[in-house]
Amino acid sequence: MASRAILQRRKGISVISSARWMSSWWSNVEPASKDPILGVTEAFLADPSPNKVNVGVGAYRDDNGKPQVLECVREAERRIAGNMNMEYLPMGGSVKMVEETLKLAYGENSDYLKDKRIAAVQALSGTGACRLFADFQKRFKPESQIYIPVPTWANHHNIWRDAQVPQRTFHYYLPETRGLDFASLMDDIKNAPNGSFFLLHACAHNPTGVDPSEEQWREISHQFKVKGHFAFFDMAYQGFASGDPERDAKAIRIFLEDGHLIGCAQSYAKNMGLYGQRMGCLSVVCEDEKQAVAVKSQLQQLARPMYSNPPVHGALIVSTILGDPELKNLWLKEVKMMADRIIGMRTALRENLEKLGSPLSWEHITNQIGMFCYSGMTPEQVDRLTNEFHIYMTRNGRISMAGVTTGNVGYLANAIHEVTKSG
Ligand code: LMR
């Protein structure tokens, strides 16, 4: 038996060593680099300047620069108030919300819906839907990779990285024309190994605001068919490209007409202004109902250890709005109103720059669509905008047109002119 002194020594030693271990638990952790989009908002909030302008994050603002809660959302909240309990939703989320959401993507009278061939679950907005799909891809196609457009929303890279799906890229944007690099895009589709996974932006491409035309989508879909590729659509901006959610679903409908079994991430952050409610949906079109039941059960199983089940309040808002023809109409009007205000700001920004005598062409501001303008400004020019004019945007030159207002468009144009006039 060990003596008391020995025991104490042992105790002492273990106290010292555990203290040493405890103090070094996280000594290997370095501060994470700032998020290229949300980090811009942090810097904006920290700036005391009264002139500051935030055209960084893609979040809609009204013409006074204030976040807007849609009238249809306010009305849905009035109807819900006092009538809801706080019970858990099922793992797959609100069945009613998912049903209504699928109609938006696949069409009110879609045969895929009638035949119950779509596996779908409520997701934590578009990010959550993409992540769930990436995890699903990893689990059931472990050898597969994902082809991602260049450029894309920065978080796409994080999502597939954390799901441990290897990434490849494909050409999308041509800086010289500030438009689509269609020829290279088609080459990349042709050259990818048969049966590859591709991430496509369904409409209002983020960050470029450049979408393929209907004819080009048909060619893309055809080539996907030839190669047996899988198209995963991220549709974060349905309604923001044209002002009409039905029109903005065109790419998806073309792929469906061609018989593709696609996947789709939907989000209500932008088009219903439900940013913080984290409302979205992941769907996967299957061969038949039996397969859809299996796929849905696996998606739920992926969700369970991550967050168990999704939030209920936003789901009720969405299902209340889309389930009531009057509220749905109001929503459609409000989506159009937001899209139109952005289109108006594109014209105003371009006109202001031209009036200032800018030697550069700003045609792309009005040619590009959706929430963003991919201005072509360099990171150094963006840094000057921030440091000299307190204008905050991502360093890739993306301007969130949703943050441009009649009050700040002149100031913004002037600053852009100043930093770009000498080339
Ligand atoms: C954006 O691109 O600014 C938005 O989608 C917000 C985000 O989460 O990055």
Side-chain angles (χ1 to χ4, degrees):
M1 196 163 161
S3 73
R4 206 185 150 131
I6 293 172
L7 279 176
Q8 273 177 344
R9 233 182 9 252
R10 280 192 194 150
K11 216 167 141 194
I13 287 165
S14 77
V15 167
I16 290 163
S17 61
S18 69
R20 193 172 60 233
W21 275 106
M22 278 162 75
S23 66
S24 65
W25 277 127
W26 309 117
S27 59
N28 59 332
V29 180
E30 299 289 339
S33 50
K34 286 232 180 280
D35 185 87
I37 298 173
L38 302 183
V40 172
T41 306
E42 286 171 26
F44 169 79
L45 291 173
D47 185 343
S49 166
N51 298 328
K52 65 182 178 176
V53 174
N54 188 2
V55 285
V57 70
Y60 184 80
R61 302 286 175 252
D62 66 15
D63 203 40
N64 297 313
K66 297 274 177 281
Q68 184 159 358
V69 179
L70 300 187
E71 211 24 69
C72 60
V73 171
R74 290 278 189 229
E75 178 53 29
E77 286 201 303
R78 278 192 282 274
R79 292 187 192 179
I80 294 162
N83 281 325
M84 68 182 281
N85 59 46
M86 304 288 169
E87 288 298 290
Y88 293 128
L89 282 176
M91 282 182 284
S94 153
V95 173
K96 182 133 186 18
M97 189 289 293
V98 168
E99 259 173 34
E100 293 297 337
T101 304
L102 294 180
K103 287 186 203 162
L104 289 179
Y106 296 92
E108 189 88 31
N109 301 312
S110 160
D111 285 340
Y112 291 95
L113 286 175
K114 279 190 212 128
D115 299 343
K116 299 189 169 40
R117 283 178 55 187
I118 306 178
V121 294
Q122 183 180 329
L124 302 182
S125 207
T127 307
C130 286
R131 180 59 197 269
L132 213 47
F133 180 78
D135 283 339
F136 178 74
Q137 181 186 344
K138 182 69 190 173
R139 184 165 290 181
F140 293 97
K141 286 276 177 251
E143 302 308 324
S144 68
Q145 319 177 36
I146 182 90
Y147 279 79
I148 294 186
V150 178
T152 194
W153 178 48
N155 210 22
H156 282 146
H157 293 292
N158 304 334
I159 289 169
W160 270 270
R161 178 202 62 210
D162 281 6
Q164 293 175 23
V165 176
Q167 299 176 34
R168 306 291 299 270
T169 55
F170 65 94
H171 287 88
Y172 187 84
Y173 177 78
L174 194 59
E176 294 78 51
T177 61
R178 308 236 198 282
L180 189 68
D181 189 353
F182 187 62
S184 309
L185 178 152
M186 290 303 282
D187 280 347
D188 289 347
I189 294 171
K190 282 178 201 155
N191 294 333
N194 291 349
S196 294
F197 285 76
F198 275 74
L199 167 68
L200 301 170
H201 296 227
C203 60
H205 182 271
N206 177 5
T208 66
V210 172
D211 284 355
S213 67
E214 193 174 323
E215 197 42 51
Q216 288 168 330
W217 274 123
R218 288 192 192 283
E219 285 186 50
I220 295 170
S221 171
H222 173 75
Q223 200 51 49
F224 265 57
K225 203 82 211 185
V226 172
K227 295 285 301 183
H229 292 329
F230 183 93
F232 182 73
F233 285 96
D234 186 356
M235 185 155 61
Y237 295 89
Q238 188 176 11
F240 264 90
S242 68
D244 174 6
E246 192 60 23
R247 256 176 80 185
D248 288 358
K250 193 74 209 167
I252 287 183
R253 306 294 169 76
I254 289 171
F255 271 67
L256 294 178
E257 274 167 34
D258 288 348
H260 288 283
L261 301 178
I262 64 166
C264 180
Q266 288 170 265
S267 160
Y268 288 107
K270 327 283 175 172
N271 60 11
M272 231 175 245
L274 296 178
Y275 302 93
Q277 295 287 350
R278 312 314 292 145
M279 281 307 306
C281 180
L282 167 64
S283 52
V284 179
V285 180
C286 297
E287 270 163 12
D288 53 29
E289 184 179 352
K290 187 163 165 254
Q291 192 178 78
V293 170
V295 170
K296 181 176 174 186
S297 71
Q298 293 293 350
L299 294 175
Q300 292 181 162
Q301 195 140 112
L302 281 164
R304 174 68 166 144
M306 280 199 278
Y307 53 85
S308 271
N309 38 61
V312 67
H313 186 73
L316 268 167
I317 294 174
V318 173
S319 56
T320 303
I321 293 171
L322 298 182
D324 177 299
E326 204 186 311
L327 276 188
K328 185 172 176 185
N329 262 334
L330 177 59
W331 173 61
L332 291 171
K333 281 196 194 119
E334 293 189 284
V335 173
K336 176 141 176 43
M337 177 272 298
M338 291 191 285
D340 284 350
R341 194 189 81 70
I342 291 177
I343 291 167
M345 284 303 115
R346 285 183 183 280
T347 310
L349 182 59
R350 179 178 163 186
E351 280 176 4
N352 270 274
L353 279 158
E354 286 167 355
K355 267 196 219 125
L356 286 162
S358 172
L360 305 170
S361 164
W362 295 102
E363 220 180 305
H364 56 287
I365 299 181
T366 48
N367 288 345
Q368 297 169 352
I369 54 174
M371 224 179 217
F372 303 110
C373 162
Y374 207 47
S375 68
M377 280 187 283
T378 62
E380 293 70 33
Q381 289 169 336
V382 172
D383 290 345
R384 278 193 64 198
L385 282 182
T386 305
N387 298 334
E388 295 171 31
F389 298 93
H390 306 274
I391 292 170
Y392 290 83
M393 54 189 274
T394 53
R395 291 189 84 229
N396 60 3
R398 185 189 82 165
I399 300 171
S400 173
M401 293 305 300
V404 184
T405 65
T406 41
N408 66 25
V409 67
Y411 179 74
L412 179 64
N414 185 55
I416 293 176
H417 179 51
E418 283 303 316
V419 304
T420 56
K421 65 185 176 192
S422 51

